[in-house]
Amino acid sequence: MSDRLRPESDPTLAASAAELLSALRGAPPLTHCITNSVVTGFTANVLLALGAAPAMVDIVDEAGLFAGVASGMLMNLGTPTPEQRAASREAVAGATASGTPWVLDPVAIGVLPVRTALAQELAAARPTAIRGNASEILALAGQSAGGRGVDATDATDAAADAAIALAARHGAVVAVSGPVDLITDGRRVIRLANGDELLTRVTGGGCALGAVMAAFLGAARVGGVDPLTAVAAATLVYTVAAEHAAAQASGPGSFAVAFLDALAAIQPHDLAPAARVEERAL
Amino acid sequence: MSDRLRPESDPTLAASAAELLSALRGAPPLTHCITNSVVTGFTANVLLALGAAPAMVDIVDEAGLFAGVASGMLMNLGTPTPEQRAASREAVAGATASGTPWVLDPVAIGVLPVRTALAQELAAARPTAIRGNASEILALAGQSAGGRGVDATDATDAAADAAIALAARHGAVVAVSGPVDLITDGRRVIRLANGDELLTRVTGGGCALGAVMAAFLGAARVGGVDPLTAVAAATLVYTVAAEHAAAQASGPGSFAVAFLDALAAIQPHDLAPAARVEERAL
Amino acid sequence: MSDRLRPESDPTLAASAAELLSALRGAPPLTHCITNSVVTGFTANVLLALGAAPAMVDIVDEAGLFAGVASGMLMNLGTPTPEQRAASREAVAGATASGTPWVLDPVAIGVLPVRTALAQELAAARPTAIRGNASEILALAGQSAGGRGVDATDATDAAADAAIALAARHGAVVAVSGPVDLITDGRRVIRLANGDELLTRVTGGGCALGAVMAAFLGAARVGGVDPLTAVAAATLVYTVAAEHAAAQASGPGSFAVAFLDALAAIQPHDLAPAARVEERAL
């Protein structure tokens, strides 16, 4: 986390996140997930713990219909079987026709050709939000990560320009996950410095955040809240819950358990005191 | 839970459940599961914790053969890929030929067309038991749930007539899961009021119960116990273990962990004092 | 555990395992897993906890390429869909072309025809290591397990000749998992008596060990350590961590959580005092 984020907070975002969290629990958004086989269970448990209603519908002749009735949709490309690839196109068409907000998570694109091509195709279909780590966002923007290994904080900043360009190109909110999360709609940039390194030691730590963004987008649509705020609010709730969990954990196993408990226990009023957020216009 | 169930207990069912639990642990039933990608791991862990022997065999040219040698089989339609749909038909044929008892779990049928048609087809193949929530049982019976949202307790009772009709039509035990579980073979109705709301906050809370029913049906077949008793016994053991777990839990994450511990620790003599059961003939 | 193993230790193996564990954490091996749908999440979490970098890439047109860039690869046949079967052939070709060490886990072969044929085919493609329980190793060697049920310790010894023959035939290290783990390259035999019975009550307890072997083989290749030592080192680290976890656990649920914590916490210097290892030349 950069020092300049430590003392700051954005009362606006924390207040919006508190309202969206309350709204979500009052009317659980039906959250349609097409996601990878490694994290399906964890993702569903994250959504259930938070108070949303998950449904994993990833087969042809059901996915399109379901995306049309869902409150929000996640399209995660972690293990894109042929059936899921066909279902994803159906789901995106269904979401588009109904105005269902959806999140694209281009897992591990770059070297792997099948998902890279699919991610480019789906990005062009105007997702509401795109979430990835720095190298995935750089790859989707057509830029390669610079040089040798950089530490993860730097990586987020290294992807800032790519994220802004991608947001402008596709009309999407773009979220770069890392020690500092960067979220932009191409006009404003929000940086959040909450979270814990243990999130990277549990499979699905990033993937489930994409599902939570889809749930918040669903709640935000009902309340007329803009997607940038919804995506940032999802990130804030998720990463503050991670801090609560880390305080209880002895390692990655107990962290994952405590994280689900924390997502269920976190209250709207927990957010403002904990938030380490910076927002600026471009 | 309805008040009239609180002080009652059915010593007959608790005694049968105690015997079946001992029998299951003495000779672990090989429990064949064709289930959805969200809950496979949790389902296997539930069966292992309880003392059964799970095997997830869901591919063509293996599922039929395996259903023939298994003690019990679960057919759960949560993520019915084309491969699983073909394997399910094979497995049902194998189970039928060998007399292997099997459970149909028609997850999320109603709106979704692929699984709804498959559920109707498989229900007609005479499963030993059918397990679902109220809306799934109503949908399978060809009735739509009445009106606006009802609370879940009401929902169980709202599905009672559908469950009885479905049991009579298919010669199956039908179990409606909810705060009060209703189980019927079309002639008798058992209501169980054990369990905990946290079961609904963990993905697979219902799906894994279907697998436990398949394991108990396997143990019951060896001992000549009728399927209605086996399905109710499975439900009793499962929901009493859930109460033990809830007493230890701080939220859905720690509940899921404690539930596996409780399934491994629960003893036959724990059941009678805890059982909140009512049985009546129609 | 046999009594003769209790007081013994092999300082050579424990020292090698300590070095490999340090090496693995210093340069996390990219560990490519093609594995079954029941244990994908647990397997990824085991690798992450330990300090390796898992990637589940099991689709056609990506698996071969990825096996070529990975440090180690696991090919587990637990739920071999048609897509995975095609991807496995691609991955083995990619691993072979690049010299990526790989582990074959022939889950549940014997009765089930699709995986049995595939296991024979892949075994002939010269895996670096083969891991299974006694009955799987016996089946792969073309021998059937003798007679009625034997206890699991006996089973490991019953498979010793089959393991040695298999190692010689395929030029592979063969590991037979059980209360005593037996590992051989056809010239030497290592027996390890660490571990805990709770590993058998968690789904993926064996499957994830195969993934850890692939990670250690990746680290060993960099350091020029032989595959027999790498596979035995992986087993030692894994089973000593299981002992640490069992000391904390109240049942299979809490064991699985504590096991992930223990894999993250275990230190190189923990191994020598705990190791119960016997090695002999044939």
Side-chain angles (χ1 to χ4, degrees):
Chain A
M1 183 196 49
S2 100
D3 273 352
R4 71 176 186 279
L5 296 183
R6 206 166 291 157
E8 307 208 15
S9 78
D10 177 342
T12 309
L13 177 62
S16 299
E19 281 175 30
L20 282 172
L21 178 58
S22 295
L24 180 151
R25 287 181 174 154
L30 184 57
T31 307
H32 179 190
C33 300
I34 298 182
T35 192
N36 69 76
S37 60
V38 189
V39 306
T40 43
F42 182 69
T43 301
N45 279 329
V46 161
L47 290 171
L48 285 169
L50 189 64
M56 273 61 182
V57 179
D58 62 354
I59 66 168
V60 170
D61 291 333
E62 292 191 346
L65 181 111
F66 199 71
V69 301
S71 301
M73 198 262 282
L74 167 68
M75 185 63 243
N76 172 302
L77 305 185
T79 52
T81 58
E83 180 79 7
Q84 274 202 346
R85 299 200 292 273
S88 75
R89 294 183 176 103
E90 224 189 81
V92 165
T96 302
S98 297
T100 305
W102 63 285
V103 178
L104 174 66
D105 189 335
V107 180
I109 63 165
V111 171
L112 296 168
V114 175
R115 67 191 68 201
T116 302
L118 182 61
Q120 296 290 0
E121 175 189 338
L122 296 179
R126 302 189 76 79
T128 315
I130 300 170
R131 190 210 73 82
N133 61 31
S135 67
E136 291 157 350
I137 296 302
L138 285 162
L140 192 61
Q143 305 175 19
S144 59
R148 70 210 184 310
V150 289
D151 76 50
T153 306
D154 287 352
T156 301
D157 284 334
D161 290 345
I164 293 164
L166 207 54
R169 186 193 307 163
H170 295 302
V173 173
V174 176
V176 186
S177 299
V180 173
D181 293 285
L182 182 151
I183 300 164
T184 182
D185 62 359
R187 293 179 298 276
R188 290 172 292 162
V189 175
I190 301 175
R191 284 184 170 80
L192 296 99
N194 293 96
D196 192 276
E197 186 271 345
L198 279 168
L199 268 179
T200 67
R201 300 291 294 276
V202 174
T203 194
C207 296
L209 174 54
V212 171
M213 288 174 180
F216 271 77
L217 284 166
R221 188 188 181 203
V222 174
V225 176
D226 69 287
L228 180 71
T229 299
V231 168
T235 305
L236 180 61
V237 171
Y238 194 83
T239 54
V240 171
E243 293 176 0
H244 293 182
Q248 309 281 330
S250 310
S254 50
F255 172 76
V257 172
F259 183 51
L260 295 174
D261 286 355
L263 285 165
I266 196 169
Q267 294 302 321
H269 64 249
D270 293 330
L271 299 172
R276 294 183 291 188
V277 178
E278 177 194 78
E279 177 170 347
R280 64 181 172 83
L282 288 174
Chain B
M1 185 195 48
S2 100
D3 273 352
R4 72 175 186 278
L5 295 183
R6 207 166 290 159
E8 308 206 14
S9 78
D10 177 342
T12 308
L13 177 63
S16 299
E19 281 175 31
L20 281 171
L21 178 59
S22 294
L24 180 151
R25 287 180 176 155
L30 184 57
T31 308
H32 179 190
C33 300
I34 299 182
T35 192
N36 70 74
S37 60
V38 189
V39 304
T40 43
F42 182 68
T43 301
N45 278 331
V46 161
L47 290 171
L48 285 170
L50 188 64
M56 273 61 183
V57 179
D58 62 355
I59 65 169
V60 170
D61 291 333
E62 292 193 343
L65 181 112
F66 200 71
V69 301
S71 300
M73 198 262 282
L74 167 69
M75 186 62 243
N76 172 301
L77 306 185
T79 52
T81 59
E83 180 78 7
Q84 275 203 345
R85 299 200 293 271
S88 75
R89 294 183 175 104
E90 225 189 79
V92 165
T96 301
S98 296
T100 304
W102 62 285
V103 178
L104 174 65
D105 190 335
V107 180
I109 63 164
V111 171
L112 296 168
V114 175
R115 66 191 68 201
T116 302
L118 182 61
Q120 296 289 0
E121 174 189 337
L122 296 179
R126 303 189 75 78
T128 314
I130 300 170
R131 191 211 73 81
N133 61 32
S135 67
E136 291 157 352
I137 296 302
L138 286 162
L140 192 61
Q143 306 174 18
S144 59
R148 71 209 182 310
V150 289
D151 77 51
T153 306
D154 287 352
T156 301
D157 284 334
D161 290 345
I164 292 164
L166 207 54
R169 184 193 308 164
H170 295 302
V173 173
V174 176
V176 186
S177 299
V180 173
D181 294 286
L182 181 151
I183 301 165
T184 182
D185 61 359
R187 295 179 297 277
R188 290 173 292 163
V189 174
I190 300 175
R191 283 184 171 79
L192 296 99
N194 294 97
D196 193 276
E197 186 271 346
L198 279 167
L199 269 179
T200 66
R201 300 290 294 275
V202 174
T203 195
C207 296
L209 173 55
V212 171
M213 289 174 179
F216 270 77
L217 284 165
R221 188 187 180 203
V222 175
V225 176
D226 69 286
L228 180 71
T229 300
V231 168
T235 306
L236 181 61
V237 170
Y238 194 84
T239 53
V240 171
E243 292 176 0
H244 293 181
Q248 309 281 330
S250 309
S254 50
F255 172 76
V257 173
F259 183 51
L260 295 174
D261 285 355
L263 285 166
I266 195 168
Q267 294 302 320
H269 63 250
D270 293 331
L271 299 172
R276 294 184 290 189
V277 178
E278 176 194 79
E279 177 171 347
R280 63 181 172 83
L282 288 176
Chain C
M1 183 196 47
S2 101
D3 273 352
R4 71 175 187 278
L5 295 182
R6 207 166 292 158
E8 308 207 15
S9 79
D10 177 341
T12 309
L13 178 63
S16 299
E19 280 175 31
L20 282 172
L21 179 59
S22 295
L24 180 151
R25 287 179 175 155
L30 184 57
T31 307
H32 178 190
C33 300
I34 298 182
T35 192
N36 69 76
S37 60
V38 189
V39 304
T40 43
F42 182 69
T43 300
N45 279 330
V46 162
L47 290 171
L48 285 170
L50 188 65
M56 275 59 184
V57 179
D58 62 355
I59 65 169
V60 170
D61 292 334
E62 292 192 345
L65 181 114
F66 199 71
V69 301
S71 301
M73 197 263 282
L74 167 68
M75 186 63 244
N76 172 300
L77 307 184
T79 52
T81 58
E83 180 78 8
Q84 274 202 347
R85 298 201 293 273
S88 75
R89 294 183 176 104
E90 224 189 81
V92 166
T96 301
S98 297
T100 306
W102 62 286
V103 178
L104 174 65
D105 190 335
V107 180
I109 64 164
V111 172
L112 296 168
V114 175
R115 67 191 68 200
T116 302
L118 182 62
Q120 296 290 1
E121 175 189 337
L122 296 178
R126 303 189 76 80
T128 315
I130 300 170
R131 191 210 73 83
N133 62 31
S135 68
E136 291 157 353
I137 296 302
L138 286 162
L140 192 61
Q143 305 174 19
S144 61
R148 69 208 185 310
V150 288
D151 78 49
T153 306
D154 287 352
T156 300
D157 283 335
D161 290 345
I164 293 164
L166 207 54
R169 186 193 306 164
H170 295 302
V173 173
V174 176
V176 186
S177 299
V180 174
D181 294 285
L182 181 151
I183 300 164
T184 182
D185 62 358
R187 295 179 298 276
R188 290 171 293 163
V189 174
I190 301 175
R191 284 183 171 79
L192 297 99
N194 293 97
D196 192 276
E197 186 270 345
L198 279 167
L199 268 179
T200 67
R201 300 291 294 276
V202 174
T203 195
C207 296
L209 173 55
V212 171
M213 288 174 180
F216 270 77
L217 284 166
R221 188 189 182 202
V222 174
V225 176
D226 69 287
L228 179 71
T229 299
V231 167
T235 305
L236 181 61
V237 171
Y238 195 83
T239 53
V240 171
E243 293 176 0
H244 293 182
Q248 308 281 330
S250 310
S254 49
F255 172 76
V257 172
F259 183 52
L260 295 174
D261 285 355
L263 285 166
I266 197 169
Q267 294 302 321
H269 63 250
D270 293 330
L271 299 172
R276 294 183 290 188
V277 178
E278 177 196 77
E279 177 171 347
R280 62 181 172 84
L282 288 176

